[in-house]
Amino acid sequence: MRRFFKLGPAFLILIVFVFLTIHYFDGKQVWKGISELFEHPFLLVIMWIVYFLSFCLKGWAWQLYLKGKARFSTCLLGILYSLLVNHLLPIKVGDLVRAKILSVRDDKVNYEEALHSVVVLRVLDMLCLIGITLTGLLGLDVSFKFPVWSIIAGSIFCIITLSVLHKYFPAFLKRHISLLKNAFSGRNGLAIILVTFFSWVLEGGILYGTVLALKGDLSFFETVFSNSITIAGQIFQITPGGIGNYESFLVFALGLFGFPLIEGYTIAVITHFMKFLFSYMAGAVVILIYPVSFKTVKGWVWIKGVRRK
């Protein structure tokens, strides 16, 4: 059932992507857009710096959550390794690698605690993205309604999950609730939330810079809103880097602000290309700093189809 709820929407999104590609992909237009972007090297550098800073903030939030038991460098390395793996493999397993790197490089944190922190911060990421999206829907006067069934289904899923954990794994649930309370106690919790929130604000830098270079009309707040919808859609990722998901959701988001489909699709392809390029360049750097072989990564990922046989 869990696989159906993920794979069903994922395949529908890919069908939308194929439709958009067949009808609105223009190779000359995309190449022209990329060329125009590289004609603004200063803007390009600023875009990547802002994008990199967004990951630095995520690393800082992770360090705060762990109450200083991990080095900032380890947190950042783990996040960038996760980014690279998610842009190489068709399923999102980068978080498992991220947790393992933390537990191996900084032995003050065991793997269970590292994985717990990754899961909690991933949930916080999604809550921040939802918060930005809801704020955008209210503040930007966007005409859109959430389907009631999705809210009901999500609530039921959460209740069932917590009930199963409470009944069959009470010690596990109690241990992780304790870790959660300890991390979010006092000002530390507020700092984690604010740092995570602003990391997603900065992540809109790639999209904002691209629209600027292509002389599009999109405010910074509209950019952050569009980026948040797009990233939230990556929960249905079944392709490397969310190819198809990213383009479909960004075309939808830009369409809310009056972008024609062909223009929105072109912007989506260019910004996704830039993110892929960044993930590979950052990945090359972290591999040089802290080399981990692909064989070792395969041994870390305990998921069917990826696990070493």
Side-chain angles (χ1 to χ4, degrees), residues 295-296 298-299 301-303 306-309:
K295 184 178 180 180
T296 301
K298 285 179 65 178
V301 181
W302 297 98
I303 288 186
V306 179
R307 180 176 59 211
R308 180 174 54 197
K309 297 180 180 180

Coordinates of all heavy atoms in Angstrom, one line a residue, residues 295-296 298-299 301-303 306-309:
K295 N 31.5 1.1 -3.8 CA 31.3 -0.2 -3.2 C 30.8 0.0 -1.7 O 29.9 -0.7 -1.2 CB 32.5 -1.0 -3.3 CG 32.3 -2.5 -2.8 CD 33.6 -3.3 -2.9 CE 33.5 -4.7 -2.4 NZ 34.7 -5.5 -2.6
T296 N 31.5 0.9 -1.0 CA 31.2 1.2 0.4 C 29.8 1.8 0.5 O 29.0 1.4 1.4 CB 32.2 2.1 1.0 OG1 33.5 1.6 0.9 CG2 31.8 2.4 2.5
K298 N 27.3 1.3 -1.5 CA 26.3 0.3 -1.8 C 26.1 -0.6 -0.6 O 25.0 -1.0 -0.3 CB 26.8 -0.6 -3.0 CG 26.7 0.0 -4.3 CD 27.2 -0.9 -5.4 CE 26.3 -2.2 -5.5 NZ 26.8 -3.0 -6.6
G299 N 27.2 -0.8 0.2 CA 27.1 -1.6 1.4 C 26.3 -0.9 2.5 O 25.7 -1.5 3.4
V301 N 23.6 1.1 1.9 CA 22.2 1.3 1.6 C 21.5 0.0 1.6 O 21.6 -0.8 0.7 CB 22.2 1.9 0.1 CG1 20.7 2.2 -0.2 CG2 22.9 3.2 0.1
W302 N 20.7 -0.1 2.7 CA 20.0 -1.4 2.9 C 18.6 -1.3 2.3 O 17.6 -1.3 3.0 CB 19.9 -1.7 4.4 CG 21.2 -2.0 4.9 CD1 22.0 -1.1 5.6 CD2 22.0 -3.1 4.8 NE1 23.2 -1.6 5.9 CE2 23.3 -2.9 5.5 CE3 21.8 -4.4 4.2 CZ2 24.3 -3.8 5.6 CZ3 22.8 -5.3 4.3 CH2 24.0 -5.1 5.0
I303 N 18.5 -1.2 1.0 CA 17.2 -1.1 0.3 C 17.3 -2.1 -0.9 O 18.2 -2.2 -1.6 CB 17.0 0.3 -0.2 CG1 16.7 1.2 1.0 CG2 15.8 0.4 -1.2 CD1 16.3 2.6 0.6
V306 N 19.1 -1.9 -4.4 CA 20.4 -1.0 -4.3 C 21.4 -1.8 -3.5 O 22.6 -1.7 -3.7 CB 20.0 0.3 -3.7 CG1 21.3 1.2 -3.5 CG2 19.0 1.1 -4.5
R307 N 20.9 -2.6 -2.5 CA 21.8 -3.3 -1.7 C 22.7 -4.2 -2.4 O 22.3 -4.9 -3.4 CB 20.9 -4.2 -0.7 CG 21.7 -5.0 0.3 CD 20.7 -5.7 1.2 NE 19.8 -6.6 0.5 CZ 18.6 -6.9 0.8 NH1 18.1 -6.3 1.9 NH2 17.8 -7.7 0.1
R308 N 23.9 -4.4 -1.9 CA 24.9 -5.2 -2.6 C 24.4 -6.7 -2.4 O 24.1 -7.1 -1.3 CB 26.3 -5.1 -1.9 CG 27.3 -6.0 -2.5 CD 28.7 -5.6 -1.8 NE 28.6 -5.7 -0.4 CZ 29.5 -5.1 0.4 NH1 30.5 -4.4 -0.1 NH2 29.4 -5.2 1.7
K309 N 24.5 -7.4 -3.5 CA 24.0 -8.8 -3.4 C 25.2 -9.7 -3.2 O 26.3 -9.5 -3.6 CB 23.3 -9.2 -4.8 CG 22.1 -8.3 -5.0 CD 21.4 -8.7 -6.3 CE 20.1 -7.8 -6.5 NZ 19.5 -8.1 -7.8

